[in-house]
Amino acid sequence: MKGIKHIVKGAPILPILQADSVEQALNIAKAVEASGLKNLEVVRRTDAAAASVTAIREAFPDMVVGMGTVLSPEHAKEAVEAGSQFLVTPTVSPRLLDGLMSSGVPFIPGTSNPADILMASEYGLTELKFFPAHLSGGAPMLKALGGIFQNISFCPTGGISGSNLNDYLSLKNVFAVGGSWMIPSDMVKAENWQGITDTCKQALEAFEGLRP
Protein backbone atom coordinates (compact mmCIF):
# COMPACT_ATOMS: atom_id res chain seq x y z
CA MET A 1 0.00 0.00 0.00
CA LYS A 2 1.25 3.47 -0.87
CA GLY A 3 1.87 5.86 2.01
CA ILE A 4 -0.07 9.05 2.47
CA LYS A 5 2.70 11.27 1.14
CA HIS A 6 2.20 9.66 -2.25
CA ILE A 7 -1.40 10.90 -2.45
CA VAL A 8 -0.94 14.39 -0.98
CA LYS A 9 -1.39 17.01 -3.68
CA GLY A 10 0.78 20.09 -3.96
CA ALA A 11 2.08 21.56 -0.72
CA PRO A 12 2.31 18.93 2.07
CA ILE A 13 -0.02 20.85 4.35
CA LEU A 14 -3.19 19.37 5.89
CA PRO A 15 -5.75 21.89 7.16
CA ILE A 16 -7.89 20.24 9.83
CA LEU A 17 -11.62 20.77 9.48
CA GLN A 18 -14.21 20.31 12.23
CA ALA A 19 -17.72 21.12 11.05
CA ASP A 20 -21.08 21.12 12.81
CA SER A 21 -22.95 20.63 9.53
CA VAL A 22 -22.35 19.52 5.96
CA GLU A 23 -23.12 23.03 4.72
CA GLN A 24 -20.46 24.47 7.01
CA ALA A 25 -17.97 21.82 5.89
CA LEU A 26 -18.58 22.67 2.23
CA ASN A 27 -18.05 26.38 2.87
CA ILE A 28 -14.78 25.65 4.67
CA ALA A 29 -13.60 23.30 1.93
CA LYS A 30 -14.37 25.94 -0.69
CA ALA A 31 -12.34 28.49 1.27
CA VAL A 32 -9.40 26.09 1.58
CA GLU A 33 -9.46 25.22 -2.11
CA ALA A 34 -9.48 28.91 -3.02
CA SER A 35 -6.14 29.27 -1.23
CA GLY A 36 -4.43 26.77 -3.50
CA LEU A 37 -4.18 24.01 -0.89
CA LYS A 38 -5.48 20.66 -2.10
CA ASN A 39 -5.56 18.49 1.03
CA LEU A 40 -8.06 18.35 3.87
CA GLU A 41 -8.50 16.32 7.04
CA VAL A 42 -12.05 16.14 8.43
CA VAL A 43 -11.89 15.18 12.10
CA ARG A 44 -14.36 12.66 13.46
CA ARG A 45 -15.51 14.85 16.33
CA THR A 46 -19.03 15.80 15.23
CA ASP A 47 -21.98 13.86 13.87
CA ALA A 48 -21.51 15.60 10.53
CA ALA A 49 -18.01 14.21 9.89
CA ALA A 50 -18.78 11.23 7.64
CA ALA A 51 -21.42 13.06 5.61
CA SER A 52 -19.03 16.00 5.27
CA VAL A 53 -16.32 13.78 3.76
CA THR A 54 -18.79 12.43 1.23
CA ALA A 55 -20.09 15.88 0.32
CA ILE A 56 -16.62 17.43 -0.04
CA ARG A 57 -15.45 14.55 -2.25
CA GLU A 58 -18.44 15.11 -4.52
CA ALA A 59 -18.23 18.91 -4.61
CA PHE A 60 -14.43 19.19 -4.88
CA PRO A 61 -13.15 16.13 -6.76
CA ASP A 62 -9.63 17.60 -7.13
CA MET A 63 -9.11 17.71 -3.37
CA VAL A 64 -7.59 14.89 -1.32
CA VAL A 65 -9.90 14.35 1.66
CA GLY A 66 -9.37 12.12 4.65
CA MET A 67 -10.83 11.53 8.10
CA GLY A 68 -9.01 12.16 11.36
CA THR A 69 -9.61 11.15 14.99
CA VAL A 70 -10.05 7.54 13.89
CA LEU A 71 -9.91 5.46 17.08
CA SER A 72 -11.01 1.97 16.08
CA PRO A 73 -11.31 -0.43 13.14
CA GLU A 74 -15.01 0.42 13.11
CA HIS A 75 -14.22 4.12 12.72
CA ALA A 76 -11.85 3.25 9.88
CA LYS A 77 -14.54 1.25 8.08
CA GLU A 78 -17.03 4.11 8.46
CA ALA A 79 -14.49 6.60 7.12
CA VAL A 80 -13.67 4.50 4.05
CA GLU A 81 -17.37 3.97 3.32
CA ALA A 82 -17.83 7.76 3.45
CA GLY A 83 -15.17 8.18 0.78
CA SER A 84 -12.09 9.01 2.84
CA GLN A 85 -8.91 8.81 0.79
CA PHE A 86 -6.71 8.54 3.87
CA LEU A 87 -7.07 7.99 7.62
CA VAL A 88 -5.44 9.75 10.57
CA THR A 89 -5.41 8.61 14.19
CA PRO A 90 -4.37 10.44 17.37
CA THR A 91 -2.74 7.36 18.91
CA VAL A 92 -1.86 3.71 18.30
CA SER A 93 -2.74 0.25 19.57
CA PRO A 94 -2.31 -3.22 18.03
CA ARG A 95 -6.06 -3.51 17.36
CA LEU A 96 -6.23 -0.07 15.75
CA LEU A 97 -3.15 -0.72 13.62
CA ASP A 98 -4.61 -4.02 12.44
CA GLY A 99 -7.78 -2.20 11.41
CA LEU A 100 -5.85 0.48 9.59
CA MET A 101 -3.72 -2.09 7.77
CA SER A 102 -6.84 -3.79 6.44
CA SER A 103 -8.68 -0.56 5.54
CA GLY A 104 -7.38 -0.44 1.98
CA VAL A 105 -6.44 3.25 2.10
CA PRO A 106 -3.27 5.11 3.17
CA PHE A 107 -3.11 6.17 6.81
CA ILE A 108 -0.92 7.91 9.35
CA PRO A 109 -1.17 6.59 12.92
CA GLY A 110 -0.61 9.00 15.77
CA THR A 111 2.52 8.72 17.91
CA SER A 112 3.89 10.89 20.69
CA ASN A 113 6.91 9.04 22.06
CA PRO A 114 9.57 6.46 21.11
CA ALA A 115 7.44 3.54 22.35
CA ASP A 116 4.59 4.48 20.00
CA ILE A 117 7.01 4.96 17.12
CA LEU A 118 8.64 1.57 17.74
CA MET A 119 5.25 -0.16 17.81
CA ALA A 120 4.28 1.41 14.48
CA SER A 121 7.66 0.62 12.94
CA GLU A 122 7.28 -3.04 13.94
CA TYR A 123 4.25 -3.05 11.64
CA GLY A 124 6.49 -1.88 8.83
CA LEU A 125 5.15 1.68 8.88
CA THR A 126 7.45 4.56 7.99
CA GLU A 127 5.02 7.52 7.82
CA LEU A 128 3.63 8.55 11.20
CA LYS A 129 1.76 11.40 12.80
CA PHE A 130 3.44 13.17 15.74
CA PHE A 131 0.72 14.41 18.12
CA PRO A 132 0.35 16.56 20.10
CA ALA A 133 3.50 17.95 18.56
CA HIS A 134 4.03 21.04 20.69
CA LEU A 135 3.27 19.30 23.99
CA SER A 136 5.43 16.32 23.02
CA GLY A 137 8.61 18.33 22.54
CA GLY A 138 7.94 20.08 19.25
CA ALA A 139 10.49 20.44 16.47
CA PRO A 140 13.49 19.78 18.78
CA MET A 141 11.98 16.43 19.79
CA LEU A 142 11.35 15.47 16.17
CA LYS A 143 14.92 16.38 15.29
CA ALA A 144 16.18 14.17 18.11
CA LEU A 145 13.92 11.29 17.06
CA GLY A 146 15.36 11.52 13.57
CA GLY A 147 18.68 10.28 14.87
CA ILE A 148 17.04 7.19 16.41
CA PHE A 149 14.41 6.32 13.81
CA GLN A 150 16.26 7.19 10.64
CA ASN A 151 13.74 5.61 8.28
CA ILE A 152 10.66 7.26 9.81
CA SER A 153 9.10 10.50 8.58
CA PHE A 154 6.42 12.44 10.41
CA CYS A 155 3.38 14.63 9.96
CA PRO A 156 3.29 16.73 13.15
CA THR A 157 0.01 18.26 14.32
CA GLY A 158 -1.05 19.95 17.53
CA GLY A 159 0.19 23.38 18.55
CA ILE A 160 1.48 24.25 15.09
CA SER A 161 0.84 27.79 13.89
CA GLY A 162 2.06 30.30 11.38
CA SER A 163 4.78 31.35 13.81
CA ASN A 164 6.42 27.91 14.14
CA LEU A 165 5.40 26.25 10.86
CA ASN A 166 8.84 26.68 9.31
CA ASP A 167 10.51 25.04 12.32
CA TYR A 168 8.72 21.81 11.40
CA LEU A 169 8.76 22.03 7.61
CA SER A 170 12.52 22.57 7.60
CA LEU A 171 13.16 19.20 9.30
CA LYS A 172 14.34 16.36 7.06
CA ASN A 173 12.09 13.82 8.79
CA VAL A 174 8.89 15.86 8.35
CA PHE A 175 6.95 15.04 5.18
CA ALA A 176 3.85 17.13 5.97
CA VAL A 177 2.25 19.24 8.68
CA GLY A 178 -1.35 19.47 9.80
CA GLY A 179 -3.26 21.87 11.94
CA SER A 180 -6.48 23.67 12.74
CA TRP A 181 -4.82 27.10 12.89
CA MET A 182 -5.60 27.49 9.19
CA ILE A 183 -9.32 27.13 9.93
CA PRO A 184 -9.78 29.21 13.10
CA SER A 185 -13.00 28.45 14.99
CA ASP A 186 -13.82 32.15 15.36
CA MET A 187 -13.69 32.60 11.59
CA VAL A 188 -15.91 29.57 11.11
CA LYS A 189 -18.46 30.94 13.58
CA ALA A 190 -18.36 34.33 11.86
CA GLU A 191 -18.59 32.66 8.44
CA ASN A 192 -15.45 34.55 7.48
CA TRP A 193 -14.58 32.29 4.56
CA GLN A 194 -12.19 34.82 3.01
CA GLY A 195 -10.27 34.95 6.27
CA ILE A 196 -9.82 31.17 6.15
CA THR A 197 -8.61 31.42 2.55
CA ASP A 198 -6.09 34.08 3.58
CA THR A 199 -4.82 32.03 6.53
CA CYS A 200 -4.35 28.98 4.30
CA LYS A 201 -2.55 31.14 1.72
CA GLN A 202 -0.11 32.28 4.40
CA ALA A 203 0.71 28.64 5.21
CA LEU A 204 1.20 27.90 1.52
CA GLU A 205 3.47 30.92 1.10
CA ALA A 206 5.53 29.81 4.11
CA PHE A 207 6.06 26.42 2.46
CA GLU A 208 6.91 27.99 -0.88
CA GLY A 209 9.49 30.17 0.87
CA LEU A 210 11.36 27.07 2.04
CA ARG A 211 11.80 25.66 -1.45
CA PRO A 212 15.32 25.93 -2.91
Side-chain angles (χ1 to χ4, degrees), residues 16 41-45 67-72 75-76 87-93 96-97 100 107-113 116-117 128-133 136 155 157-158:
I16 294 177
E41 176 189 336
V42 179
V43 291
R44 192 185 182 282
R45 298 179 187 175
M67 185 176 288
T69 323
V70 172
L71 292 169
S72 69
H75 290 176
L87 306 174
V88 184
T89 80
T91 187
V92 289
S93 75
L96 178 56
L97 287 172
L100 294 170
F107 60 89
I108 39 176
T111 60
S112 64
N113 56 61
D116 291 345
I117 297 167
L128 310 178
K129 176 179 174 179
F130 186 63
F131 173 83
S136 300
C155 174
T157 71

Side-chain angles (χ1 to χ4, degrees), residues 13 37 165 181-182 199-208:
I13 298 173
L37 292 179
L165 176 63
W181 90 92
M182 292 169 277
T199 304
C200 289
K201 279 184 178 179
Q202 290 169 8
L204 180 58
E205 289 168 359
F207 169 73
E208 295 287 351

